[in-house]
Amino acid sequence: MKVFITGINGFVGSHMSEFLLAKDYEVSGLILERNKIEKISGVIDEIHLYEGDVKNYGLLKDILAENRPEEVYHLAGLSHVQHSWKNEWETYKVNFLGTYNLLEAIKELGFNTKVLIIGSSDEYGRVPQDKIPIQEDYPLMPLSPYGVSKACQELLALRYARSEGIHVVAVRAFNHTGPRQEPYFVCSDFAKQIAEVEKGLRGSVIYVGDLSAERDFTDVRDVVEAYYLLLKEGETGDVYNVCSGKGFSIKWVLDRLLTLTEKIINIKEDPKRLRPVDITMRIGDNRKIKEATGWQLRVPLERTLEDLYKYWMEKISVKTP
């Protein structure tokens, strides 16, 4: 089976490639820059890479024409909510135009390719507590530019499924974390700061944003299995939450990570880490994906955070005297 992963060298893309290689897939992927392959260094000899930008329709079409994939996991995109407020237009171009280029190229090439489009729980916006856990039929009311870009991307993808006959399944992914995640996401940010204290690279203070918010976290290794199952068994033109169905406060995450070090650490709120618009609670309902695919969570968040901390402890260097 030939599979193509956009954003293969990213956090989720690297785990997705490992998962599919273990199932004997022939894995190819798109990267934006040839020098950014650290996350896929362990499988670099087993995959085929194409360099290009999803905003470039002609190049993307040529790559797909050469590769002729049977399945596509569309993981490329701008995914940082806070950055989307500062880079709004670029967020729309990458997430919406990139998706349009991918689906239009597949349509024009006449390929019978299955495509998984990755959206976000940010599409829901602020949801009243009596509607939590959030089900897929809750109306989309995104608040951030990132959430708007993902809602538009999803609507576009479903149009291609319903009007153009392309096999498209859409996902609304809630928070996920694990080894290799960039440190501008909260769990990885905390783990990296604590590891830096442990290694003597910073003082005893770590900086945080709003600790009261409650989020639905899933291990990235469970997430990629969910994506795989949905592309196999999900209904064309349908949307599925990928989430744990459990809420964890950001303070709980921080406290759990702090148990992994014996260093005395002081916590300080950093106004720069507060979002222009934040959501107090966001927890998803995962019954639909479970019923459709039999997907089950395998990795508890405690283990996820331990593995994430170990990743940063191995990645960063000890301060030299």
Side-chain angles (χ1 to χ4, degrees), residues 181-200:
Q181 188 173 42
E182 295 294 337
Y184 46 74
F185 292 97
V186 64
C187 297
S188 196
D189 175 33
F190 291 168
K192 181 175 183 285
Q193 288 191 74
I194 295 169
E196 287 172 343
V197 174
E198 185 73 40
K199 296 273 188 165

Side-chain angles (χ1 to χ4, degrees), residues 255-269:
D255 289 343
R256 180 67 190 182
L257 286 165
L258 288 171
T259 67
L260 304 177
T261 179
E262 296 182 357
K263 297 284 187 179
I264 297 175
I265 294 178
N266 298 304
I267 310 302
K268 185 175 182 180
E269 185 177 280

Side-chain angles (χ1 to χ4, degrees), residues 176-179 217-224 299-300 303-304 307:
H176 42 284
T177 189
F217 290 102
T218 306
D219 188 283
V220 65
R221 292 158 290 195
D222 282 333
V223 167
V224 297
V299 186
R303 180 184 149 195
T304 306
D307 290 348

Side-chain angles (χ1 to χ4, degrees), residues 29-204:
L30 183 72
I31 61 174
L32 184 60
E33 298 178 58
R34 179 65 62 172
N35 62 337
K36 293 187 176 180
I37 56 172
E38 179 185 0
K39 292 181 174 64
I40 51 173
S41 58
V43 296
I44 197 68
D45 294 330
E46 302 175 67
I47 59 180
H48 183 75
L49 296 179
Y50 296 88
E51 187 174 359
D53 191 330
V54 291
K55 300 195 303 293
N56 186 332
Y57 173 76
L59 178 61
L60 185 58
K61 184 178 178 181
D62 288 344
I63 289 171
L64 291 169
E66 178 184 330
N67 188 257
R68 303 184 68 85
E70 296 163 86
E71 296 181 354
V72 171
Y73 292 86
H74 183 37
L75 305 180
L78 296 181
S79 58
H80 191 249
V81 177
Q82 192 165 12
H83 287 181
S84 75
W85 292 96
K86 301 175 183 178
N87 302 282
E88 188 164 354
W89 179 233
E90 186 65 15
T91 300
Y92 296 146
K93 286 194 294 182
V94 173
N95 292 349
F96 182 80
L97 179 60
T99 302
Y100 168 81
N101 287 342
L102 173 70
L103 295 171
E104 183 66 14
I106 289 171
K107 185 192 84 170
E108 289 298 313
L109 290 167
F111 290 167
N112 187 28
T113 304
K114 294 183 176 182
V115 185
L116 191 73
I117 300 294
I118 310 302
S120 168
S121 62
D122 264 75
E123 297 175 51
Y124 291 117
R126 186 177 285 112
V127 178
Q129 194 159 354
D130 63 350
K131 298 296 183 181
I132 294 174
I134 310 166
Q135 297 181 1
E136 287 86 349
D137 59 0
Y138 189 81
L140 304 185
M141 293 184 286
L143 298 174
S144 68
Y146 170 71
V148 170
S149 75
K150 285 296 183 178
C152 293
Q153 170 188 287
E154 178 186 296
L155 290 171
L156 175 72
L158 297 181
R159 185 194 76 77
Y160 273 87
R162 296 163 183 167
S163 302
E164 306 294 347
I166 295 178
H167 182 106
V168 179
V169 178
V171 164
R172 293 181 194 142
F174 284 64
N175 295 66
H176 42 284
T177 189
R180 301 183 213 138
Q181 188 173 42
E182 295 294 337
Y184 46 74
F185 292 97
V186 64
C187 297
S188 196
D189 175 33
F190 291 168
K192 181 175 183 285
Q193 288 191 74
I194 295 169
E196 287 172 343
V197 174
E198 185 73 40
K199 296 273 188 165
L201 293 173
R202 66 187 299 139
S204 62

Side-chain angles (χ1 to χ4, degrees), residues 136 238-241 285-293:
E136 287 86 349
D238 209 349
V239 182
Y240 300 84
N241 288 337
D285 188 312
N286 60 17
R287 286 176 293 179
K288 186 174 178 180
I289 183 178
K290 286 183 173 182
E291 292 170 1
T293 69

